[in-house]
Amino acid sequence: MLAQFVYFSDLLGCIVFAISGVLVAGRLKMDPIGVVVLASVTAIGGGTIRDMAIGATPVFWINDTTYLYVIFATALISMLTARKAHRLPSFLLPVLDAFGLALFTVIGAEKVLSYELPSVVAIVMGVITGVAGGMIRDVLAGQIPFVLQKEIYATASILGGVLYTVSLSLGLDDGWALGIAMAGTLGLRLAALRWHLSLPVFNLRR
């Protein structure tokens, strides 16, 4: 039951991140190929880097092509309905994105631990799973990656990875550890959105 929840939630996370890629491509007036590329790298870029780094090959979307079909369908539907997106509540996508970040972080950390790698590696790979796709998207779009700016985004992912690994080390079962880690990541990210929390910036100018 837990495995099914995680799997379908992972697909939901791919949908949300793919939509964010489509929106960036739309603002830059890319052609359909560019839209699909940005949607794809945003949705599966982080997980691909994770799998390659830990030797989990073929990477997850090659073993399960459902991810690709979901991304392609999301890109197509998003292109057809993008002009109606203003009718959706403005908070919906950021909230879903926060949920996707929380889930991707935990899934990334869990997969690394299943390869019996150290907890610190699991935390780092969890963060990469959650944020690297968006970084690739922004680089391809010629923008400073969102995660490298003052927004509390990667910080929330780091918190999730730490909570997950610590919970497991304390003997909690995987379901509780997953729930605690997701709640921590989601809570911090939503709090940052609600109260406009941010990290201090490094500035050499006087």
Side-chain angles (χ1 to χ4, degrees):
M1 187 68 179
L2 178 61
Q4 288 182 332
F5 168 77
V6 171
Y7 177 70
F8 287 110
S9 298
D10 192 24
L11 290 176
L12 175 61
C14 282
I15 291 172
V16 173
F17 285 167
I19 291 173
S20 74
V22 172
L23 294 178
V24 171
R27 288 197 294 269
L28 297 175
K29 299 180 180 180
M30 291 186 175
D31 63 21
I33 298 299
V35 172
V36 171
V37 168
L38 284 198
S40 299
V41 298
T42 309
I44 60 177
T48 300
I49 294 173
R50 175 204 64 217
D51 283 3
M52 293 176 66
I54 66 174
T57 53
V59 297
F60 70 101
W61 53 266
I62 293 178
N63 285 324
D64 185 356
T65 55
T66 301
Y67 287 93
L68 297 180
Y69 294 127
V70 166
I71 292 169
F72 296 155
T74 300
L76 177 60
I77 294 171
S78 297
M79 283 189 287
L80 295 175
T81 61
R83 293 185 178 179
K84 299 180 181 180
H86 65 278
R87 299 179 183 178
L88 297 174
S90 59
F91 65 84
L92 182 60
L93 188 58
V95 170
L96 290 176
D97 178 82
F99 176 80
L101 174 68
L103 187 68
F104 276 21
T105 297
V106 176
I107 289 175
E110 187 277 333
K111 187 164 188 177
V112 171
L113 290 177
S114 71
Y115 278 70
E116 299 183 352
L117 294 169
S119 295
V120 66
V121 177
I123 294 170
V124 171
M125 286 295 120
V127 174
I128 288 175
T129 305
V131 309
M135 293 180 69
I136 298 171
R137 174 202 65 208
D138 292 345
V139 170
L140 291 177
Q143 304 171 352
I144 297 175
F146 176 76
V147 70
L148 298 182
Q149 301 181 53
K150 62 181 180 179
E151 286 277 350
I152 293 180
Y153 196 82
T155 306
S157 182
I158 293 170
L159 175 64
V162 170
L163 288 175
Y164 183 68
T165 55
V166 169
S167 297
L168 291 178
S169 69
L170 293 176
L172 298 179
D173 65 40
D174 197 56
W176 277 103
L178 184 149
I180 292 171
M182 285 190 62
T185 304
L186 190 60
L188 180 56
R189 179 58 187 149
L190 292 181
L193 290 171
R194 173 64 179 82
W195 289 292
H196 306 288
L197 305 177
S198 62
L199 297 174
V201 297
F202 178 62
N203 189 352
L204 292 177
R205 296 180 181 177
R206 295 184 179 180

